[in-house]
Amino acid sequence: MNTERESETTFEEDSQPNDEVVPYSDDETEDDLEDQEPAVEPEQNRVNREAEEIQEPFKKEGRQNNAIKTYKYNVFTFLPLNLLEQFKRAANLYFLILLILQTIPQISTLAWYTTLVPFLVVLGVTAIKDLVDDVARHKMDKEINNRTCEVIKDGRFKIAKWKEIQVGDVIRLKKNDFVPADILLLSSSEPNSLCYVETAELDGETNLKFKMALEITHQYLQKENSLATFDGFIECEEPNNRLDKFTGTLFWRKTSFPLDADRILLRGCVIRNTDFCHGLVIFAGADTKMMKNSGKTRFKRTKIDYLMNYMVYTIFVVLILLSAGLAIGHAYWEAQVGNYSWYLYSGEDATPSYRGFLNFWGYIIVLNTLVPISLYVSVEVIRLGQSHFINWDLQMYYAEKDTPAKARTTTLNEQLGQIHYIFSDKTGTLTQNIMTFKKCCINGHIYGPKQVDFSWNMYADGKLAFYDHYLIEQIQSGKEPGVRQFFFLLAVCHTVMVDRLDGQLNYQAASPDEGALVSAARNFGFAFLARTQNTITISELGTERTYKVLAILDFNSDRKRMSIIGRPPSEHVYKSLIETHALFSGTRRRRAKNEPLGSGGFPHTC
């Protein structure tokens, strides 16, 4: 079990993904490779031979482990890095220079310790606050690195910590487990080794996405002993930050198989609707796409910090001008009075200009109180208090998930009140985006508004409030085929996944409006029950039927609708299906702006 990867990426921290460039780490060009090929060597033999040659140096290099770190400091770097960060503040740099000046006897007007003591207090308070923040990051990293999963060791699955996982390990994940690294999906408990994942940690989307293993790994890598002896070799792109792209090749059983993003489970995803799955670790730790997108930990400064620095620079300029004016006045007084007054003679034969120069630095020291070093301490204390108020805020507590607000840092709190613009791709990003089925239009007739009783339907969820008894009568009587076809299409034309919890159907939809439509069909007697890669099972007014899915045409901005093409079971549902076509196709149109759900009908052909 080996994989090839480069230890460093050519992508810079803030670079944008370039979809046109193939991210292979090979330095050889295609022409160079062609020159090396024998004229009569079969293509597959050449591929297998090159794969074997590449494996040898990789075995000697060692493998990347899966430990991550998001903290800024360790025991050895805390003091130098924290002082470097603090001296980026103008006032701290000023008082450091001031302390150096006070050690020079010729210009010192105050004892050096009068500046050192408050200076150390300021640096110490800030350092302690930064240390507390970083300790919290250490604890979070430790918690994540010590999570456990099953890894094949010595021919069998054993419990191991995330930080112990290495590139090339075969792991097993179960439902609701987080994916610990970027892995190649080998097999799963689902038909055709489908695996459903939630990518909320990566892109904020709570909809489910499905991944599918290669047919050959699905066929041969289901059992523990076969996974333990898996000796495939993967040649792939070097680590990068592109979440939706992957290019690689699996060499196994003297055959090569192309790999793409549909075969890869990324770190941060959560396994859903899949009892278990197996995968081969390709990228681990800092090489995973999630960590590549996070970039290096940077020292962040707020607008308040920049404003205080600007204020200190302004005060410092005023201080220099004031000290320069006093020094010039002192030099003039020395030239006019001091040199001619025997009782002011210091025993040094210094010129008035030199005395003025020394007094310039003396005035800088004497007037140091103009620079408000205590301002930084005050701001740090305010930030610390703000972070606690955020944690204590009951109005920010989410009772449904028992989740309070948590300030993870005490250095950026004031940025919350300085947001000028919010850019959002859709309204659901900023709101709860709750969709409810209210009305529908079927064959030009609008059904609406008297609340109906769904107790006749065993699959009703009790959450839908609909207000038109006539629509129920039409469904139960069957006099209007278009009504039943309408809800039949809602039950089959979608990408919703279903899970049974305590005997109850639980739908997980790609979008709230899709979930609202499928839930409405369920309440009206057309309940979506299960799906596989090639079939979909629904209950039609109490009769359970399974349809073969031939193709799904996803929604896009050009068609503005989603379609499904399928084959009904041998026992046909509608007479029209038997008499006309062996295939049915249904299209669900996306509603227009300010248009009620179902308005305008759902175009379909049978």
Side-chain angles (χ1 to χ4, degrees), residues 449-469:
K450 235 182 189 178
Q451 187 165 3
V452 299
D453 181 15
F454 290 104
S455 59
W456 57 274
N457 180 8
M458 62 180 293
Y459 290 109
D461 58 8
K463 299 178 182 178
L464 179 64
F466 196 77
Y467 301 89
D468 196 330
H469 292 271

Side-chain angles (χ1 to χ4, degrees), residues 440-599:
C440 61
C441 178
I442 305 175
N443 290 336
H445 185 87
I446 298 177
Y447 296 90
K450 235 182 189 178
Q451 187 165 3
V452 299
D453 181 15
F454 290 104
S455 59
W456 57 274
N457 180 8
M458 62 180 293
Y459 290 109
D461 58 8
K463 299 178 182 178
L464 179 64
F466 196 77
Y467 301 89
D468 196 330
H469 292 271
Y470 183 62
L471 181 58
I472 299 295
E473 294 173 4
Q474 291 283 15
I475 292 175
Q476 293 177 333
S477 66
K479 295 180 180 179
E480 185 63 43
V483 175
R484 289 191 175 184
Q485 291 179 7
F486 175 85
F487 288 104
F488 169 74
L489 289 180
L490 292 188
V492 298
C493 188
H494 56 78
T495 59
V496 174
M497 297 304 304
V498 63
D499 193 12
R500 291 183 181 268
L501 298 175
D502 300 327
Q504 299 294 322
L505 296 176
N506 180 34
Y507 291 152
Q508 294 182 334
S511 60
D513 53 346
E514 189 173 51
L517 295 175
V518 177
S519 295
R522 165 188 178 178
N523 283 275
F524 283 102
F526 292 78
F528 164 57
L529 301 180
R531 80 184 311 146
T532 66
Q533 185 180 6
N534 300 316
T535 65
I536 185 169
T537 302
I538 64 173
S539 171
E540 304 173 26
L541 299 176
T543 303
E544 188 172 316
R545 292 186 174 91
T546 300
Y547 296 87
K548 185 174 182 179
V549 178
L550 302 180
I552 293 179
L553 308 179
D554 291 329
F555 172 88
N556 59 52
S557 58
D558 295 326
R559 299 181 68 246
K560 295 182 175 60
R561 64 193 65 206
M562 172 189 175
S563 302
I564 184 173
I565 302 174
R567 178 180 290 117
S570 56
E571 179 185 353
H572 295 297
V573 183
Y574 302 113
K575 186 177 180 180
S576 59
L577 290 177
I578 303 175
E579 294 175 349
T580 55
H581 299 284
L583 299 179
F584 74 86
S585 67
T587 300
R588 185 166 59 84
R589 184 171 66 84
R590 186 170 183 171
R591 65 192 182 97
K593 185 178 182 181
N594 299 325
E595 183 180 357
L597 290 178
S599 149

Side-chain angles (χ1 to χ4, degrees), residues 361-382:
W361 299 107
Y363 288 126
I364 291 287
I365 295 173
V366 170
L367 300 176
N368 69 80
T369 52
L370 287 176
V371 180
I373 189 172
S374 60
L375 177 62
Y376 289 102
V377 178
S378 301
V379 171
E380 296 295 348
V381 172
I382 292 172

